[in-house]
């Protein structure tokens, strides 16, 4: 869990202010440019169709809705009697924006909130549900917001409302279980409420009374969250004992094929992974575990979501690019005990996390704006997952709306999609496709930190996938000022036609607002395919999707 205190925010806002924006960035107008004829290439991308990696699980394009700040109340749930257009209480604009990007899976109710939540509070008639103090009520960033649903939870959005939301947007539910403050029995009952056959149990009848006679068939269950921190402050051995108690014998499957997800490490804490797997060793089924959760938040060395200079731009992206080594390091350690590779990685919290200075409403704890910097981070992270399609089975960006690294901002009847949303829309083409290896050669970026130390970040990077005769290649260019001239070769196939979708912005600080919702939106264009390899210019600070029709 990241904590930014109010003191941090005030301090950096005063210290930096407008001066945080380096003169070289302020007002810089940058547009994608067509590659000039004869411009020499500085980069090369080889897509190797004959080197498959694995199927890209649609669940990699998953989301996270925690009962935190403005995510649920004001974000997802407005209530049936709201003046905000809604479908059975769920914000209609959100549903309509989500459907086309195929959200695959949504995690709920937390996060840290999950280990304080009793699911019984959120079922049955809404007017009889208890009000409870939200886990986040006392967060240092959350003072002075009064008695609001974000702080005193009215439990209007419970299991059935969440499952209806999932159904509306076509996503699978992923429920996070309270391991810190409820007994395993409560977990078993939650599974029974969700999955026991119609008419079979008292809890199935309770579900039917709420309008859902048929079971939901919930497959994904997270056994605790951040159990090294807000989820109980356990040691890996203590958590392994708790995990075993919750997951091993107690839970009937109801023919669903339950998939349990263990609360894995924060960032590079391989000790947590190693010791947990060692503690479960000797169990053939590794405690029925299907996924091992990894959390990684990226932060710049200074500055907020909108005020940043070049060191903060590159620092944030370098922090995000650690995802590559986090995946490979934890995967290697998991393999020391899980030789049959039963357990996959589930990166169920990731995103950029800034000091809270740009939330659109004071009740939106951890709310933040989003620029092309966040879009590039989104692209490079999703590309990393695609390249490790054999290891990563699910990922959930934190969080869907009004929070860290959100796809949407909403307040009352106002609603806007962020640049991050547009990257998810562009990358949806990868879902369920076959990831294939690509080799990218591109100049590294050498940048100076605020302390004038030189650091290196890789230049162009991306991922490729194939579905029948369509090849999707997505590429990020993290360079603030240099476009990249690339040659693109497809080994094992020929490009018949190509179409590009590009997300970039005139100024890297541009962002979408309720009043100007289309400041940062993608542009589509046909690409002339006249030579092989194909010559293509990737604009500075951009995310690009190239879709190739293949033949031959
Ligand atoms: O996403 C916000 C919080 O960050 C989650 O509740 C917690 O799991 C993580 O620390």
């Amino acid at each position: 869990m990241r904590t930014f205190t109010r003191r941090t925010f005030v301090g950096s806002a005063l210290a930096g202010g407008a001066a945080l924006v380096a003169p070289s960035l302020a007002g810089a107008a940058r547009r994608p440019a067509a590659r000039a004829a004869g411009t020499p290439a500085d980069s090369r991308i080889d897509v190797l169709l004959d080197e498959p990696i694995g199927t890209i699980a649609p669940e990699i394009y998953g989301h996270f809705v925690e009962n935190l700040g403005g995510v649920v109340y004001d974000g997802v749930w407005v209530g049936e009697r709201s003046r905000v257009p809604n479908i059975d209480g769920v914000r209609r604009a959100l549903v309509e924006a989500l459907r086309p990007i195929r959200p695959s899976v949504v995690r709920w109710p937390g996060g840290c909130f999950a280990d304080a939540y009793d699911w019984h509070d959120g079922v049955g008639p809404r007017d009889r549900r208890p009000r409870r103090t939200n886990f986040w009520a006392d967060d240092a960033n959350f003072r002075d917001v009064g008695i609001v649903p974000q702080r005193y939870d009215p439990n209007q959005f419970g299991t059935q409302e969440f499952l209806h939301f999932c159904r509306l947007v076509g996503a699978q539910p992923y429920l996070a279980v309270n391991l810190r403050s409820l007994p395993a029995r409560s977990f078993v009952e939650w599974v029974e409420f969700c999955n026991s056959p119609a008419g079979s149990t008292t809890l199935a009848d309770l579900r039917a009374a709420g309008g859902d006679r048929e079971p939901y068939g919930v497959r994904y269950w997270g056994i605790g969250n951040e159990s090294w921190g807000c989820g109980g402050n356990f040691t890996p051995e203590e958590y392994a004992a708790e995990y075993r108690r919750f997951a091993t014998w107690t839970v009937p499957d109801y023919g669903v094929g339950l998939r349990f997800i263990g609360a894995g490490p924060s960032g590079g804490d391989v000790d947590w992974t190693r010791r947990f797997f060692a503690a479960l060793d000797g169990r053939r089924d590794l405690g029925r575990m299907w996924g091992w959760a990894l959390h990684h938040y990226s932060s710049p060395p200074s500055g907020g979501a909108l005020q940043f200079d070049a060191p903060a731009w590159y620092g944030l992206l370098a922090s995000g690019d650690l995802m590559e080594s986090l995946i490979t390091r934890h995967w290697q350690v998991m393999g020391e005990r899980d030789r049959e590779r039963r357990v996959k990685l589930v990166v169920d919290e990731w995103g950029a996390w800034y000091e809270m200075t740009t939330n659109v409403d004071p009740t939106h704890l951890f709310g933040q704006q989003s620029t092309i910097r966040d879009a590039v981070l989104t692209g490079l992270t999703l590309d990393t997952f695609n390249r490790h399609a054999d290891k990563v089975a699910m990922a959930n960006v934190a969080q869907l709306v009004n929070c860290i690294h959100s796809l949407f901002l909403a307040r009352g009847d106002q609603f806007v999609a962020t640049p991050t949303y547009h990257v998810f829309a562009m990358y949806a083409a990868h879902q369920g496709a076959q990831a294939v290896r690509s080799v990218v050669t591109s100049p590294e970026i050498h940048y100076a930190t605020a302390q004038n130390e030189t650091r290196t970040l890789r230049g162009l990077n991306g991922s490729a996938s194939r579905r029948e005769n369509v090849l999707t290649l997505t590429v990020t260019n993290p360079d603030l000022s240099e476009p990249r001239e690339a040659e693109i070769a497809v080994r094992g196939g020929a490009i018949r036609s190509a179409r590009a979708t590009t997300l970039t912005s005139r100024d890297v600080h541009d962002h979408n607002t309720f009043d100007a919702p289309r400041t940062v939106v993608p542009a589509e264009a046909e690409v002339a395919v006249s030579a092989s390899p194909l010559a293509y210019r990737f604009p500075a600070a951009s995310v690009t999707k190239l879709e190739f029709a293949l033949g031959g």
Side-chain angles (χ1 to χ4, degrees):
M1 182 169 82
R2 296 286 321 275
T3 310
F4 292 109
T5 62
R6 180 164 292 232
R7 180 191 298 245
T8 321
F9 153 46
V10 172
S12 62
L14 292 179
L20 268 174
V21 182
S24 59
L25 292 183
R30 298 169 305 93
R31 289 189 193 83
R35 180 166 164 192
T39 313
D42 54 28
S43 302
R44 187 175 169 92
I45 301 175
D46 288 283
V47 180
L48 311 178
L49 291 181
D50 296 334
E51 295 197 31
I53 299 169
T55 301
I56 297 175
E59 289 82 357
I60 284 177
Y61 292 80
H63 300 277
F64 177 28
V65 166
E66 176 165 4
N67 190 357
L68 183 173
V71 181
V72 169
Y73 298 104
D74 213 12
V76 176
W77 181 257
V78 294
E80 285 159 323
R81 285 194 286 271
S82 171
R83 66 185 169 84
V84 179
N86 67 83
I87 307 174
D88 301 333
V90 173
R91 183 183 285 278
R92 179 182 285 277
L94 177 69
V95 173
E96 288 173 354
L98 270 176
R99 277 181 185 150
I101 68 166
R102 289 182 269 131
S104 71
V105 62
V106 185
R107 179 179 183 234
W108 176 84
C112 295
F113 176 84
D115 275 298
Y117 180 61
D118 185 345
W119 70 271
H120 297 93
D121 289 346
V123 293
R126 275 194 219 116
D127 57 357
R128 281 190 241 145
R129 296 186 192 169
R131 270 176 295 133
R132 306 277 186 213
T133 307
N134 189 296
F135 169 87
W136 294 101
D138 274 346
D139 188 272
N141 293 283
F142 206 6
R143 286 186 217 122
D144 309 328
V145 288
I147 297 178
V148 290
Q150 286 84 353
R151 199 170 179 192
Y152 298 101
D153 178 11
N155 274 304
Q156 298 300 285
F157 190 80
T159 303
Q160 294 198 267
E161 289 77 15
F162 172 66
L163 283 150
H164 288 175
F165 168 61
C166 288
R167 218 174 259 168
L168 283 173
V169 300
Q172 295 192 69
Y174 165 16
L175 296 179
V177 171
N178 181 341
L179 173 131
R180 187 195 70 212
S181 56
L182 284 180
R185 181 189 171 106
S186 176
F187 166 38
V188 176
E189 288 171 357
W190 204 7
V191 176
E192 184 175 294
F193 175 81
C194 291
N195 294 347
S196 61
S200 65
T201 65
T202 303
L203 288 173
D205 291 347
L206 178 62
R207 186 183 68 223
D212 296 312
R213 194 177 137 72
E214 296 309 316
Y216 302 118
V218 177
R219 287 179 102 185
Y220 297 113
W221 297 86
I223 313 296
N225 168 74
E226 297 195 350
S227 301
W228 38 264
C230 65
N233 278 335
F234 294 115
T235 65
E237 293 76 20
E238 287 166 349
Y239 171 60
E242 291 297 312
Y243 174 89
R244 258 200 312 267
R245 211 158 54 77
F246 270 62
T248 309
W249 289 110
T250 46
V251 192
D253 189 82
Y254 300 108
V256 169
L258 300 180
R259 294 181 161 180
F260 294 154
I261 294 154
S266 171
D269 184 3
V270 286
D271 187 55
W272 178 266
T273 297
R274 181 170 283 121
R275 285 169 57 187
F276 175 86
F277 274 74
L280 275 197
D281 203 16
R283 300 189 173 256
R284 227 172 16 91
D285 61 356
L286 280 164
R288 294 170 77 177
M289 194 159 58
W290 174 83
W292 182 236
L294 163 67
H295 290 182
H296 175 56
Y297 286 103
S298 313
S299 289
S302 65
L306 297 179
Q307 290 181 313
F308 56 85
D309 55 11
W313 164 278
Y314 288 119
L316 187 273
L317 296 177
S319 166
D321 208 28
L322 290 175
M323 187 63 83
E324 174 89 31
S325 62
L326 293 176
I327 290 170
T328 53
R329 284 166 63 203
H330 287 290
W331 184 252
Q332 188 251 318
V333 171
M334 289 158 67
E336 291 168 6
R337 302 282 175 170
D338 178 19
R339 298 211 172 73
E340 293 168 38
R341 292 295 188 187
R342 290 165 172 274
V343 184
K344 300 281 176 172
L345 276 164
V346 169
V347 188
D348 60 13
E349 290 186 29
W350 67 270
W353 195 336
Y354 307 109
E355 297 153 1
M356 191 180 74
T357 57
T358 55
N359 45 340
V360 295
D361 188 278
T363 64
H364 295 180
L365 182 63
F366 306 144
Q368 62 189 35
Q369 257 294 356
S370 171
T371 65
I372 191 72
R373 180 172 58 156
D374 301 283
V376 174
L377 178 78
T378 307
L380 71 82
T381 306
L382 294 173
D383 283 327
T384 305
F385 296 152
N386 291 341
R387 290 196 302 271
H388 293 285
D390 52 335
K391 309 175 189 72
V392 182
M394 189 199 289
N396 309 74
V397 61
Q399 300 194 12
L400 184 67
V401 49
N402 289 338
C403 199
I404 312 152
H405 208 97
S406 290
L407 279 76
F408 309 102
L409 301 174
R411 184 181 54 197
D413 57 5
Q414 297 173 298
F415 181 78
V416 67
T418 67
T420 293
Y421 168 80
H422 294 300
V423 179
F424 269 84
M426 288 161 66
Y427 278 53
H430 282 302
Q431 289 191 26
Q434 177 65 236
V436 293
R437 202 158 82 83
S438 50
V439 179
V440 183
T441 319
S442 181
E444 288 183 324
I445 299 164
H446 301 286
Y447 66 95
T449 66
Q451 292 71 35
N452 229 8
E453 291 159 2
T454 303
R455 297 271 162 80
T456 303
L457 179 69
R458 53 182 157 181
L460 290 188
N461 211 343
S463 68
S465 71
R466 180 184 192 165
R467 194 193 317 268
E468 294 170 3
N469 69 341
V470 176
L471 171 69
T472 302
L473 173 67
T474 45
V475 177
T476 53
N477 181 5
D479 200 302
L480 263 173
S481 52
E482 294 296 324
R484 288 286 165 228
E485 310 288 349
E487 288 181 349
I488 302 174
V490 177
R491 303 290 178 86
I495 300 173
R496 294 281 169 243
S497 63
R499 192 164 180 78
T501 309
T502 308
L503 187 67
T504 188
S505 57
R506 293 172 59 84
D507 183 304
V508 288
H509 306 96
D510 285 346
H511 51 281
N512 296 335
T513 64
F514 297 136
D515 294 333
R518 296 190 52 79
T519 306
V520 187
V521 291
E524 287 191 37
E526 292 297 328
V527 178
V529 182
S530 48
S532 179
L534 180 79
Y536 194 80
R537 166 180 280 201
F538 293 96
S542 67
V543 183
T544 302
K545 172 176 73 167
L546 293 167
E547 281 177 301
F548 300 112
L550 300 176

